Amino acid sequence: MLFPFDLLISAIGQSPLLDLLSVMQAVELADGRVVVDERTGQTSNPKFYAGGDCVNGGREVVDAVAEGKRAAIAIAKALEVRA
């Protein structure tokens, strides 16, 4: 199954791209981090999900993987509702 999207931001390093994140519409930042719902990884803009260093400030890789998995599950559920 293919899903169209307007923007994809890949994980390309260990520091958040705050300049890019600061211009994203309605994505709340606090203390240099993206604010998310901890259960889903959803940002204050319901179109965007985040995890890893830009959310947790740079903890262990296993934390970033777990956050990515939570976000992926939430995204899949959101897409199921739309289908």
Side-chain angles (χ1 to χ4, degrees):
M1 180 179 271
L2 299 175
F3 296 102
F5 56 88
D6 296 323
L7 176 68
L8 172 69
I9 301 172
S10 62
I12 56 173
Q14 293 182 329
S15 60
L17 301 172
L18 294 177
D19 292 340
L20 171 65
L21 294 171
S22 67
V23 298
M24 306 253 331
Q25 294 181 337
V27 173
E28 182 182 351
L29 300 177
D31 299 322
R33 298 179 186 170
V34 178
V35 176
V36 298
D37 177 326
E38 291 182 13
R39 295 174 297 116
T40 64
Q42 189 173 41
T43 69
S44 52
N45 182 329
K47 290 183 172 183
F48 300 116
Y49 293 76
D53 293 350
C54 70
V55 171
N56 67 35
R59 294 193 309 238
E60 296 179 358
V61 171
V62 70
D63 292 323
V65 171
E67 291 170 6
K69 184 176 179 180
R70 276 193 298 272
I73 291 168
I75 292 166
K77 285 182 181 178
L79 292 172
E80 286 173 3
V81 170
R82 293 183 199 161

